[in-house]
Amino acid sequence: MTTPAKSHLFYQSRLRRPMLDQARGVYMWDLDGKRYLDGSSGAMVCNIGHSNERVLEAMRRQMEKSTFGYRLHFETEPAERLAARTAALAPAGMDKVFFVSGGSEAVESAIKLARQNAIAIGEAQRWKVISRQPSYHGSTLGALALTGYAPLSAAFDPMMRPMPKIPAPRAYLDHLDPDDEATGHHYADMLEQRIRDEGPETVLAFIVEPVGGASTGALVPPAGYMQRIREICTKYGVLLIHDEVMSGGGRTGKFFAAEHWNVAPDILVISKGFAAGYVPLGAMVASNEIVENVLDAGGFLHGYTYAGNPLACAAGLAVLEEIEREHLMENATSVGGELKAGLQDLMERHEIIGDVRGIGLFLAFELVGDRKTLAPLQRELNAYTALVDIAYDKGLIIYSRRTRGGYDGDHFLVCPPMIATSTHVGEILETLEASLGEFVETTAGRRLKAG
């Protein structure tokens, strides 16, 4: 494994990985020439695959014209064109787009816009943003206050005001039928109760991932859930914010995952697959009414230096064009169906897999110590890192987190780029089969059972 003798970089731990040499399509190579299949699209980012020549060419053309234009000095053609395309993809009436550089910035922008709207319409007493437990909405202090994932937020609690939480609709853990609308209403009604408990006049917004990201592992909401939370938010004058940072961009088979339930938010945010890793880019999209309220009250008191960067927006436009030209959302649906069926077959052969979930090419499986009770594996086994490392050594990259509040439970996101084929699915499943076998064998002597 080729790594520098000394690194001046630091990230989350002392873990060192090989030095990346190049990436093409669904594959990446290190400096030693070892090939890896990017089975998680990075962190669910590289939706159209690596080094797409049409995107690179669009970036070259823009670089020859300008690479930066400050938003207070100039409007730029790429930013306006991408805003128009994004608004066309969003629900009707959501025609205003604010560009950022990433998901945390997008969420931060959304809650600030929501708050300024409340002040503008004479409801300054509204400031609470309800979210779910577990959830992840970003790493800035504002976004982290919404996050229900203690390992990432607990150290910073004294520096911020954590917001109210309700349970995520993890029907599989509660042994409820996710296809029964009564299940969806059961979880959604927890939002109404929390609004009442907090005092409806103080609640500003509810933020939700239509399909759960890293904290819940591709959690698809039970029937009736998305529609009911929309009704509840409307009833109490609470803004509904859809966090589509991970689920947006087409990998569920729709550009915005909430389209699967025909539900529109008041504000939505997107990043990651929006520019597919070619440049840092994200966006907040809001209704005309909210934006006009804020602008009429003196303007949006918020902004970033790189908002609407012309190079980033040119790349984002090219990514959208590639998704449409190559019918990648349709491919995500068909190939995702093959991959999900393959993961379910793995579950049949491996008692340690307790659940397979997701939609399109946004999929996950969860390891358990007891399939009947869904009790998690022992915490000290660190399965969520061990299996990732085994698969990595075999040339497959997958993404993991802990499902049960961040301290217990082990789930793994399997989300290859939307250009993946049946051949790639076969390679992913074959490597996962071998990796699961090695994990069970190497941990058998360490009491592989429920914690």
Side-chain angles (χ1 to χ4, degrees), residues 114 162 174 227 324 361 368 385:
D174 295 329
Q227 295 89 341
E324 294 174 356
L361 280 172
V368 295
T385 58

Side-chain angles (χ1 to χ4, degrees), residues 7-17 43 136 138-139 144 149 151-153 156 214 272 384-385 399-401:
S7 176
H8 296 281
L9 290 168
F10 80 98
Y11 295 112
Q12 289 174 297
S13 71
R14 296 185 185 278
L15 176 68
R16 301 289 299 278
R17 290 297 194 194
Y136 180 74
S139 60
L144 202 58
Y149 205 81
L152 296 178
S153 62
F156 308 104
K272 291 187 180 288
Y384 78 115
T385 58
Y399 192 98
S400 69
R401 282 280 180 89

Side-chain angles (χ1 to χ4, degrees), residues 56-129:
L56 296 180
E57 180 55 33
M59 293 172 68
R60 291 187 196 103
R61 290 196 302 269
Q62 182 57 44
M63 283 189 283
E64 292 173 355
K65 298 182 69 175
S66 68
T67 58
F68 182 76
Y70 186 48
R71 60 191 172 85
L72 299 183
H73 297 163
F74 291 97
E75 295 184 13
T76 68
E77 182 182 0
E80 179 54 41
R81 289 178 58 205
L82 181 58
R85 291 288 294 274
T86 304
L89 290 164
M94 300 187 72
D95 290 338
K96 300 299 184 183
V97 180
F98 182 87
F99 291 118
V100 297
S101 298
S104 297
E105 289 185 2
V107 170
E108 195 86 9
S109 301
I111 59 178
K112 285 187 174 180
L113 182 68
R115 171 61 179 163
Q116 290 179 59
N117 175 70
I119 294 171
I121 63 175
E123 297 183 355
Q125 72 278 10
R126 292 186 184 267
W127 58 270
K128 299 173 184 175
V129 180

Side-chain angles (χ1 to χ4, degrees), residues 96-97 113 117 286-296:
K96 300 299 184 183
V97 180
L113 182 68
N117 175 70
S287 71
N288 296 331
E289 180 182 1
I290 291 173
V291 172
E292 291 302 320
N293 288 340
V294 172
L295 295 181
D296 287 345

